[in-house]
Amino acid sequence: MTQNFIPYGKQDISEEDIDSVLKVLKSDFLTQGPQVPLFEKTVAGYCGAEYGVAVNSATSALHVACLALGLGEGDWLWTTPNTFVASANCGLYCGAKVDFVDIDMQSYNLSVEKLEEKLIQAKKSDKLPKIVIPVHFAGQSCNMKRIHSLSLEYGFKVIEDASHAIGGKYLDKPIGGCQYSDITVFSFHPVKIITTAEGGLATTNCQKLYKKMQRLRSHGITRDVEDMILPSEGEWSYQQIELGFNYRMTEIQAALGVSQMKRLDEFVARRQVLRKQYDQLLEQENLILPSQSDDCYSSMHLYPILLGTQDSSLARSRVFKCLRASNIGVNVHYIPVHTQPYYLNLGFKNGDFPNSELYYQNTVSLPLFYGLTDKDQVYVVSELKKALQAIE
Ligand SMILES: *Cc1c(COP(=O)(O)O)cnc(C)c1O
């Protein structure tokens, strides 16, 4: 019997999800109806945040979040190199300059020690960042308490890129409550924890940021008389008061999101079970397994293993090939953003952020998703063990 393909990540769609979507398709509104506000309320309520703004992707959410915080030309945005390119691109969209803070080798998150060192240097040369975007890599929160206190000391704003992390907790509170940040951003791409096909959402506790992000997702238009620049001409009146975009989420997507939210805790619980099983099954191997911080309950978006502590690029390629040949969709998260051709062209060099590069040379992400069966997980592990023996 041939083995079915096992991807590294995958959505789980129930009959109830399908029914919710069908209901919208048969309703009066495919966009700009009641589902989007309901989804926003559901996510913000779950996270313990005041407000939510749903958009068509996390990338759009990052963009409007940066604009709402006033990022523009001449400003600096800092993030981690160990992320998807979108966490950095949002700064460039706004005409700002982007720089990176290297990771720590425990959590693979942005290192707060390195952040502090870089802030001290930046203060001397008057190049302090306007925004710092910590990314909760693999679903585990960054050290937000320290980042928050540094933000007060050095006067920068914080956007949490929690694309991996909905359903996770930090200090026993749901990620997304913005206790230590201005805005938190989630992604609902199908490989993430819950899905709306494409989609993103920003949470905040600040009404001003909320209203601004709402306007920016829809052309910069307001229908709120209070925010109008000219006197309202009647109930039909709307005014474009700034330059925005069409970043709206559809009703179809939002309905799917509302339905998926009902199973969020169950999704994360299963991911945690799979994580513990991987930990046990791989305990004896000469590998570095993802560590869990006591402060965090990770949503376990990813299970990245490290093959060594020096450059293992060659071994990694061979393991990767073996597993793909066995129909296992392993992946690599992430190619450090500063080593992408576009960023090299901006002046970054290989060697600029050595931890993220070393991490990258060693890492493989094993399949981890709600629907992964115990049997398939055991198969992944046995194929991985074979591949590791082959490279010894
Ligand atoms: C997936 C992802 C994004 C982008 O999300 P989209 O919804 O696809 O735009 C941004 N940042 C991180 C860390 C991600 O993993």
Side-chain angles (χ1 to χ4, degrees), residues 43-288:
V43 176
Y46 178 93
C47 297
E50 288 287 323
Y51 309 103
V53 179
V55 286
N56 58 2
S57 69
T59 305
S60 303
L62 288 164
H63 186 192
V64 295
C66 287
L67 289 172
L69 290 168
L71 190 74
E73 226 164 287
D75 294 328
W76 282 96
L77 177 146
W78 292 0
T79 187
T80 166
N82 185 30
T83 186
F84 186 57
V85 292
S87 320
N89 287 347
C90 56
L92 302 180
Y93 295 160
C94 301
K97 288 171 282 190
V98 167
D99 203 354
F100 301 93
V101 179
D102 209 353
I103 58 171
D104 78 62
M105 291 304 274
Q106 199 67 38
S107 64
Y108 319 134
N109 276 330
L110 177 148
S111 153
V112 282
E113 284 76 28
K114 294 218 157 61
L115 175 61
E116 185 161 21
E117 283 167 27
K118 201 175 172 95
L119 287 165
I120 292 168
Q121 290 307 316
K123 191 172 181 183
K124 287 182 194 153
S125 51
D126 208 17
K127 284 181 178 168
L128 283 169
K130 181 153 196 167
I131 296 178
V132 174
I133 304 189
V135 178
H136 303 320
F137 179 72
Q140 179 159 254
S141 178
C142 295
N143 186 341
M144 291 311 300
K145 257 192 146 161
R146 286 281 306 280
I147 293 170
H148 180 244
S149 67
L150 288 170
S151 79
L152 298 178
E153 191 179 343
Y154 289 91
F156 58 84
K157 304 289 183 188
V158 179
I159 301 171
E160 296 173 66
D161 183 343
S163 291
H164 299 180
I166 196 163
K169 294 192 180 102
Y170 174 64
L171 298 174
D172 291 323
K173 294 230 170 68
I175 287 175
C178 300
Q179 282 91 351
Y180 305 103
S181 64
D182 298 280
I183 296 169
T184 302
V185 166
F186 297 117
S187 171
F188 310 121
H189 182 281
V191 296
K192 308 287 163 73
I193 309 292
I194 65 162
T195 192
T196 61
E198 295 279 358
L201 188 141
T203 56
T204 185
N205 294 320
C206 169
Q207 194 190 38
K208 229 176 109 197
L209 292 174
Y210 165 63
K211 284 185 139 187
K212 181 129 182 149
M213 290 192 288
Q214 258 191 340
R215 276 201 303 276
L216 288 169
R217 87 168 152 198
S218 204
H219 310 281
I221 284 171
T222 184
R223 290 175 186 275
D224 197 335
V225 177
E226 244 173 57
D227 299 323
M228 289 184 180
I229 304 230
L230 301 170
S232 168
E233 292 168 12
E235 272 189 47
W236 67 87
S237 205
Y238 63 86
Q239 289 176 16
Q240 186 191 344
I241 62 172
E242 62 193 317
L243 187 61
F245 310 88
N246 181 351
Y247 281 169
R248 290 189 303 261
M249 175 181 273
T250 67
E251 289 286 289
I252 303 165
Q253 292 168 298
L256 179 55
V258 170
S259 182
Q260 288 257 302
M261 278 299 286
K262 294 182 189 158
R263 293 193 295 153
L264 172 56
D265 290 341
E266 187 189 330
F267 285 163
V268 174
R270 173 66 184 160
R271 285 172 174 275
Q272 279 284 355
V273 167
L274 289 163
R275 189 268 296 174
K276 286 179 195 141
Q277 290 177 175
Y278 268 137
D279 286 353
Q280 281 163 10
L281 292 164
L282 294 171
E283 192 172 48
Q284 302 299 324
E285 298 299 311
N286 192 15
L287 294 169
I288 300 165

